Amino acid sequence: MKKGIISTITVMAVSAALLCSCGNGKKASKVVDDNAPMTLEIFDVAANYQGMQTGWFAKVVKDKFNIELNIIAPQVAGDSIYQLRSSSGNLGDIVLLDATQFQDCLEAGLIKDISDKIKDCPNLMKFDTQIKALNTGLPGNSAGKYYGIPTEMMDTSPTSFTQERIYSLPQFRWDLYNKIGAPEIKDLDGLIDAFVELRKVHPTNENGDPAYPLSLWPDWDGGDGMIGIANVVQLTTWYGDKIKGSAVLKPDNTFYPLTAKDGAYYKILHFLNKAKRAGVVDPDSGTQDWNSVCAKISNGQVDFIWYTWEIGFWNTSARLADGTAFCFIPVQDQLYYTDSDAYFGSGRIFGVGSKVDDAKYARIMKFLDWYASPEGAMYQHDGIEGFNYKKGADGRLEQINDNALMDNLPVPAEFGGGGYSDGNNAINQWIVNSNCTNPLTGEIYATQYWSTYKEKNMTQMRRDWEKKYDAKDATDWMTKNNRLTVSPSVAVALPSDSADISVIRNSVNKSVCDASWRMIFAKNDAEFDKMWDEMTAEVKGFGFDELYKFDTEKHQIEVDAKIKASK
């Protein structure tokens, strides 16, 4: 995240000016004058919460726009709510959808043409290249109209990778890793051996609650168009492979089926089974949800994590200082896959519902433009000035209360009250990626890139890690050791499922997910392999071969674009 050089008053003035310029003509001016209370329904595939936005972020949008946000979350309510609301002809006032769903809804007339207002939204237009690329690629949009806004857009280039850590990588608590002798980990078997030692030295947290190296959760399974359980899908990237539905993309840009016994899905699933048999997997893993795992991370009951962003629920300045923070520990046989900077977005799309009236439409576009503004991005990525960060005498931003999210710190009434994480932005998806440069500060929005953060956290732990691995950070180590494969960001429209393919996909995914969880808890290799063979036979009966053919042809379009972008 970037440093604050401009005063709060200036930021507010700039934001106000930008907001007033979003919209056009007399109609927009009339809406600005008529600032009546308004509730916006947001159909949101990224949300982990359903209901009215509360707390500090609710106060922000209420004060700025006199709006309230009602979040409709299929991850909470179930996928049937998508069918129900889309069939009614009104999915939501604002929609946040995966790309394929967005195309389907556009063809069904559920998405509004926003061409008449988006050009007058200066913050969105900073990303016009990316937004135009998305909309130009939408089926049937030969007229070049604007319908959607990509999420998580970057301001770098399609082939850049600027982050210190990739999305998924092995991360230990540094103190515990050293307590077991800081072993060199050669492969997944060596990783399990390290986990066994971790259980010996850290069987419980400070309160006596059981602690485990691995704590899994099933409630994200099947999301983002994936087939298989999310905890396995993400870990396959440790071996350079990327799951694309029923197909797996290799580093050489060729595909193989998810059901291949010599493939990455089998490899990672078998690893988790061996870990379970070794006693290093949380026994609640098959039934708990992400919120439960999140609480366990914050309580010190999880010794190993693999999402970069999970460190936000444990790492603090104090823990970096005393050496108890999570950090990357290499596994020597791994080749890490990462997508490049999400220049064209992360694959999800914001849109406006086709049934909104003129007043609501104008307010929505003002909100979305602010959401893409520096001020909006700072609320999303940095929090509340005076509570999450302060501005120093030199104009640089400095993080405070860095445990606000993990400990749900109470928020002062002046900022909206309640717990910080309870009032966090429930939309749970941004337009501006946290690794973009904040023009108000000259630094990246993400706090771990602030110069004040780096100065404060150049701790003994950091110095020891850098000396041990001869690298500045995880990405630097992977690059120096030729262990990183970067996939370029592209903007392509991929075909959506036909009705028949959709039925096959749903059946295959359910079979794979159900069998995968049973396999994690298998008693031995023979039982594991028997379950695998039964699963592959079952999905073949559902039409897996037809699905695999469809997915390879579909994602070859994307691969061809990536190859072209990398030249």
Side-chain angles (χ1 to χ4, degrees), residues 380-398:
Q380 294 155 48
H381 301 309
D382 304 335
I384 309 164
E385 184 173 4
F387 181 73
N388 299 101
Y389 66 93
K390 63 182 179 181
K391 189 174 299 180
D394 59 2
R396 296 188 299 165
L397 302 188
E398 181 180 348

Side-chain angles (χ1 to χ4, degrees), residues 212 214 276 281-287 521:
Y212 292 89
L214 290 172
K276 177 65 179 68
V281 176
D282 183 347
D284 296 334
S285 290
T287 55
F521 288 85

Side-chain angles (χ1 to χ4, degrees), residues 151 294 296 409 425:
T151 59
C294 175
K296 288 179 177 179
L409 291 184
N425 179 5

Side-chain angles (χ1 to χ4, degrees), residues 108-147:
L110 300 176
I111 307 296
K112 188 174 183 64
D113 176 359
I114 57 175
S115 306
D116 62 332
K117 290 196 181 295
I118 193 169
K119 288 296 185 76
D120 296 314
C121 293
N123 297 298
L124 290 172
M125 283 296 96
K126 290 175 184 176
F127 296 93
D128 188 38
T129 298
Q130 298 93 312
I131 296 173
K132 186 179 293 182
L134 165 75
N135 286 277
T136 300
L138 292 173
N141 189 23
S142 57
K145 294 182 177 180
Y146 288 78
Y147 294 97

Side-chain angles (χ1 to χ4, degrees), residues 433-455:
N433 192 291
S434 66
N435 289 292
C436 287
T437 297
N438 181 349
L440 302 179
T441 66
E443 292 193 307
I444 289 172
Y445 287 104
T447 55
Q448 68 266 28
Y449 293 98
W450 292 356
S451 57
T452 53
Y453 179 94
K454 290 186 175 183
E455 290 167 7

